[in-house]
Amino acid sequence: MSYRLTIEPLGATIEVEEGQTVLDAALRQGIYIPHACCHGLCGTCKVQVSDGEVDLGAANPFALMDFERDEGKALACCCTLQSDVTIEADIEEEPDAEVIPVRDFAASVTRIVDLTPTIKALHLALDKPIGFQAGQYVQIEIPGLGQSRAFSIANSPAAVEKSGEIELNVRIVAGGAGTGYLHQQLQVGDRLRLAGPYGRFFVRRSAGKPMLFMAGGSGLSSPRSMIVDLLEGGCTLPITLVYGQRSRDELYYDAEFRALAEQHPNFSYVPALSNEAEGSGWTGARGYVHDAAKAHFGGSFQGQQAYLCGPPPMVEACIGTLMQGRLFERDIYTEKFLSAADAQNARSPLFKRV
């Protein structure tokens, strides 16, 4: 059984299977509804139900408050249809966005590489080609858990097309069932199921502005894909990567980025360590990502276009520093994966994107 879903202001009507979420149905038809966590935690995918009946599903009460439920609002990532429905979604035209419907894939684990003591690179051979924009992510089904986890694709589209493999960088989360499985139980040769591509984190090339990438932890995955894609495509605009970790043993792909900086005069690489022991021989920047970026640019970020990816506290600190340096929302793009612990952190109503 299926129902018809009309999405305004697009005027598009699609079929939605019984039990399928509004978000999943839209993405599989190549229709982008803004979203982030995909688990009813953040409220990014909030829509107005203007006609018909929906089941709100497992929407977190902090992401969808009681008065919003009374007003007919729903979270697209959780709600399912109980009749033909019309919704109103906050959809913006993006001239640089590629329309790539979400699909399901089967994958075999070909390699597992220890990048740092807490981050592994999973190399997955897919059963069919995947199209994606550099910066997008996939959802991995965790065997035995009944849930999926989001991981950005760390290699460029050209590299994936050539090898047929995607690379995912997975940082283990203390007590995390999903990352715990991927770190401690997954073996070469195992099969996984995944879906993608997801996300609206990609380079806005048409702006023609210098690009600043700010990343922390395993948040390096998206910027790595985006930067390599830009350089492979012959981009000559200035590109800067400011990447933060706690210590040298957590700083991965350092040699690769240093080599890219040597090969491409328009690319600058600024690694920063926040907890490196004194006397270790480290001669690079010390402190957090936002501090290193401020020092590198002399406190002024005017004219840049910034792409931020990492833990929510890092992203928030970077946004504050960028705005102090006269860079504002229209030129700041973020990717941050939210856990259940982040659900109670209210998002500022002043910003739609950051």
Side-chain angles (χ1 to χ4, degrees):
M1 183 177 180
S2 64
Y3 298 106
R4 292 172 65 82
L5 172 68
T6 300
I7 304 172
E8 299 293 358
L10 300 179
T13 299
I14 62 175
E15 294 291 321
V16 182
E17 297 298 321
E18 186 174 10
Q20 184 181 26
T21 68
V22 165
L23 179 63
D24 184 65
L27 294 176
R28 290 179 184 276
Q29 293 294 321
I31 298 173
Y32 181 81
I33 295 176
H35 61 279
C37 75
C38 295
H39 297 293
L41 300 174
C42 68
T44 304
C45 64
K46 197 171 296 176
V47 297
Q48 177 70 48
V49 179
S50 55
D51 187 52
E53 299 295 327
V54 301
D55 182 334
L56 296 178
N60 185 281
F62 292 96
L64 187 66
M65 297 183 181
D66 288 342
F67 77 89
E68 293 176 311
R69 297 168 192 247
D70 294 339
E71 291 173 351
K73 290 184 170 59
L75 301 187
C77 72
C78 293
C79 74
T80 55
L81 304 192
Q82 295 183 313
S83 69
D84 291 346
V85 168
T86 298
I87 63 169
E88 296 175 17
D90 187 13
I91 299 174
E92 293 183 0
E93 290 293 328
E94 287 275 9
D96 296 290
E98 297 179 20
V99 178
I100 308 174
V102 169
R103 295 192 296 163
D104 296 315
F105 299 85
S108 297
V109 182
T110 59
R111 282 191 295 152
I112 300 176
V113 180
D114 290 329
L115 297 176
T116 78
T118 60
I119 301 174
K120 292 181 183 289
L122 308 183
H123 295 262
L124 308 178
L126 304 181
D127 63 337
K128 54 181 176 281
I130 182 172
F132 70 100
Q133 282 189 269
Q136 291 189 296
Y137 65 91
V138 296
Q139 292 272 4
I140 296 286
E141 292 183 17
I142 307 299
L145 191 60
Q147 297 179 7
S148 298
R149 295 291 185 269
F151 299 100
S152 296
I153 301 173
N155 42 350
S156 69
V160 172
E161 183 178 4
K162 181 178 179 180
S163 67
E165 295 185 359
I166 60 172
E167 178 186 339
L168 309 178
N169 298 159
V170 180
R171 185 185 191 104
I172 192 166
V173 177
T179 59
Y181 177 90
L182 297 176
H183 266 252
Q184 298 160 5
Q185 299 182 50
L186 191 69
Q187 302 291 324
V188 170
D190 285 356
R191 300 278 288 175
L192 292 171
R193 297 194 62 81
L194 59 94
Y198 292 95
R200 211 66 159 178
F201 193 58
F202 56 85
V203 175
R204 273 64 178 180
R205 297 172 186 258
S206 62
K209 296 181 179 181
M211 288 157 280
L212 166 60
F213 294 87
M214 303 170 77
S218 58
L220 183 62
S221 301
S222 292
R224 181 188 183 223
S225 178
M226 297 159 87
I227 291 167
V228 172
D229 185 50
L230 286 166
L231 296 177
E232 287 176 340
C235 177
T236 57
L237 290 168
I239 303 169
T240 304
L241 169 63
V242 183
Y243 174 51
Q245 280 284 19
R246 288 175 54 81
S247 58
R248 291 178 76 174
D249 62 348
E250 290 282 349
L251 194 67
Y252 69 103
Y253 289 130
D254 181 63
E256 175 182 303
F257 285 114
R258 291 182 187 275
L260 287 174
E262 288 287 332
Q263 297 165 16
H264 300 275
N266 61 316
F267 174 57
S268 301
Y269 170 53
V270 183
L273 302 179
S274 62
N275 199 37
E276 177 69 4
E278 295 295 336
S280 67
W282 174 253
T283 58
R286 290 179 179 268
Y288 295 106
V289 173
H290 61 284
D291 295 323
K294 184 176 182 178
H296 182 78
F297 284 91
S300 175
F301 300 99
Q302 292 186 73
Q304 298 285 323
Q305 194 172 65
Y307 296 88
L308 284 50
C309 191
M314 183 221 87
V315 170
E316 297 301 328
C318 289
I319 290 171
T321 297
L322 291 171
M323 289 186 168
Q324 289 171 13
R326 308 300 294 170
L327 193 71
F328 301 109
E329 184 190 6
R330 66 179 179 273
D331 287 314
I332 302 175
Y333 299 89
T334 69
E335 183 77 291
K336 53 186 177 184
F337 295 124
L338 303 175
S339 68
D342 300 309
Q344 299 185 34
N345 294 332
R347 303 181 68 199
S348 172
L350 297 177
F351 306 117
K352 295 170 62 176
R353 203 169 45 235
V354 303

